[in-house]
Amino acid sequence: MTKHILILNTGGTLSSKKSERGLVPELGKDDILKDLEWVARDCRIDYEEMYSLDSANIVPEDWKQIALRIGDVYNDYDGIVIIHGTDTMAYTASMLTWMLCNIPIPVVLTGSQLSIMDPVADAMENCRLAIHMAAAGHPGVFVAFNRKIILGCRASKVRTMSFDAFESINYPYIATVDSRGLRVAEDKIPPIGGKFRVNVNYSDQVFLLKLFPGLRPDIFEALYEMGYQGVVIEAFGLGGLPSRERDLIQAIAAVIEKGMLVLVGTQCRYDGSDMSVYETGRKGLACGVLQMREMTTEAAVTKLMWALGQTTDRDRIEEILSSRRP
């Protein structure tokens, strides 16, 4: 049976062409549809342009509109491919994981490091992989890049110029391509846990802070006064927070007491955080911070945004953040 795939184009490098202003995502249906149909082979595709954006210009409202569009049309397709710029693709993939809870079809994000118009681009191969993963029938949100399929909330861009731009952080690849074809690790795909629902409520009052030696503690009170509801901190090592000179612990405790959510992880790309190991982490836990553990920064930021859109109850938010599903 021929699989029916929808391609939603949001722009990015894949859809870009050179101009005196630099690369600009201005290619549309007439420029790229024939190439997409060629790599789709046995699949029937529909094409829809949502945006023509460099992904640096993607904002949370765009995530909401993408999720709502998928919610409107998912029953008509076997799978959906989203063409997206690479710079913020991991954020979009993570947020769609939360917004499209229990999506019963594959939603696969892809893009490229070179425009589809470039004769040596990676665009065609990435689109081929994304379309055929979308046709494979495995439900969930995924990123397809450089012959690898990554769970959406585990993807992170780790290289700026290499075709091997994305890695799966603290989680195995969902699928890879080799001489035997597309090899899917079905046991690594989270099972559907209930009825599909689109939930696009979120708070954009979340701040991401990377620690460095000597950071002034008053940044936390300033963020609270600016109206931020939550802060994600990339701390040191396993989650260490300074508590001697320029004591951050007291400053964090003060804003937590006022109702701010503080989620702490590590600046290290791999292995995650465990704040129970060192005193500098345990003091943070004692003052009420929550742990990112093995989450990527992109997943942590978007999941906290999404959780704060559901409730302001701290216990419920902690439950959402610790769950593998919304």
Side-chain angles (χ1 to χ4, degrees):
M1 181 179 177
T2 300
K3 298 298 181 72
H4 194 189
I5 307 299
L6 173 65
I7 296 178
L8 297 177
N9 191 355
T10 69
T13 299
L14 187 146
S15 303
S16 291
K17 63 181 180 180
K18 292 180 180 179
S19 75
E20 60 184 19
R21 296 167 289 154
L23 282 173
V24 182
E26 293 181 342
L27 299 178
K29 182 176 181 179
D30 293 339
D31 302 299
I32 66 178
L33 183 57
K34 185 179 295 185
D35 289 334
L36 295 175
E37 290 175 334
W38 186 81
V39 297
R41 294 296 178 93
D42 296 333
C43 298
R44 179 164 61 98
I45 64 172
D46 289 345
Y47 176 94
E48 182 177 323
E49 290 184 13
M50 290 200 68
Y51 313 111
S52 293
L53 293 174
D54 185 303
S55 72
N57 288 320
I58 290 282
V59 295
E61 180 62 23
D62 298 321
W63 298 334
K64 177 179 177 179
Q65 294 305 317
I66 293 168
L68 289 172
R69 183 59 183 153
I70 291 171
D72 286 341
V73 303
Y74 79 97
N75 267 326
D76 299 327
Y77 295 95
D78 297 295
I80 295 174
V81 171
I82 302 171
I83 295 174
H84 195 288
T86 59
D87 289 349
T88 61
M89 186 188 296
Y91 285 97
T92 299
S94 290
M95 184 57 99
L96 290 179
T97 300
W98 323 132
M99 287 184 168
L100 300 173
C101 183
N102 296 313
I103 181 75
I105 64 171
V107 174
V108 188
L109 289 87
T110 196
S112 63
Q113 295 287 71
L114 284 173
S115 167
I116 199 169
M117 303 298 286
D118 193 300
V120 295
D122 54 334
M124 296 282 280
E125 193 56 48
N126 288 341
C127 286
R128 186 200 316 272
L129 176 59
I131 290 169
H132 289 284
M133 182 63 187
H138 304 288
V141 177
F142 308 99
V143 168
F145 219 88
N146 197 42
R147 298 178 178 266
K148 298 177 291 190
I149 300 294
I150 302 169
L151 197 64
C153 60
R154 296 291 186 164
S156 190
K157 187 176 181 182
V158 299
R159 299 177 185 89
T160 58
M161 299 179 71
S162 169
F163 286 166
D164 194 19
F166 285 84
E167 290 287 353
S168 182
I169 307 300
N170 301 323
Y171 201 78
Y173 294 126
I174 296 300
T176 55
V177 175
D178 59 24
S179 61
R180 294 163 290 185
L182 178 64
R183 296 171 56 80
V184 180
E186 296 186 20
D187 61 323
K188 302 305 180 185
I189 300 175
I192 292 177
K195 185 178 180 181
F196 172 55
R197 68 184 189 278
V198 180
N199 189 331
V200 295
N201 297 325
Y202 66 89
S203 168
D204 61 3
Q205 297 303 307
V206 171
F207 193 86
L208 172 60
L209 178 67
K210 184 170 186 172
L211 295 194
F212 61 90
L215 179 71
R216 286 171 45 182
D218 57 3
I219 183 65
F220 294 100
E221 181 63 26
L223 292 172
Y224 176 80
E225 293 296 330
M226 291 172 67
Y228 283 99
Q229 297 176 289
V231 178
V232 176
I233 300 176
E234 289 187 347
F236 303 124
L238 286 170
L241 297 165
S243 59
R244 181 174 165 267
E245 298 294 329
R246 300 196 176 186
D247 182 0
L248 298 189
I249 300 293
Q250 289 190 15
I252 292 170
V255 294
I256 289 175
E257 183 68 25
K258 294 177 180 180
M260 181 181 280
L261 273 295
V262 179
L263 183 59
V264 178
T266 177
Q267 297 178 17
C268 301
R269 182 75 69 175
Y270 296 101
D271 298 336
S273 61
D274 183 352
M275 298 178 70
S276 68
V277 176
Y278 292 97
E279 180 187 26
T280 52
R282 291 187 178 188
K283 285 185 176 181
L285 292 174
C287 81
V289 305
L290 305 174
Q291 289 201 73
M292 280 171 55
R293 298 191 184 277
E294 79 284 358
M295 277 195 286
T296 66
T297 295
E298 296 93 336
V301 169
T302 55
K303 198 166 193 180
L304 183 56
M305 293 173 72
W306 188 86
L308 285 165
Q310 315 310 305
T311 180
T312 57
D313 179 76
R314 178 187 168 89
D315 290 339
R316 174 60 183 142
I317 289 174
E318 186 169 1
E319 180 184 340
I320 292 171
L321 292 173
S322 63
S323 171
R324 290 186 177 273
R325 290 197 166 274

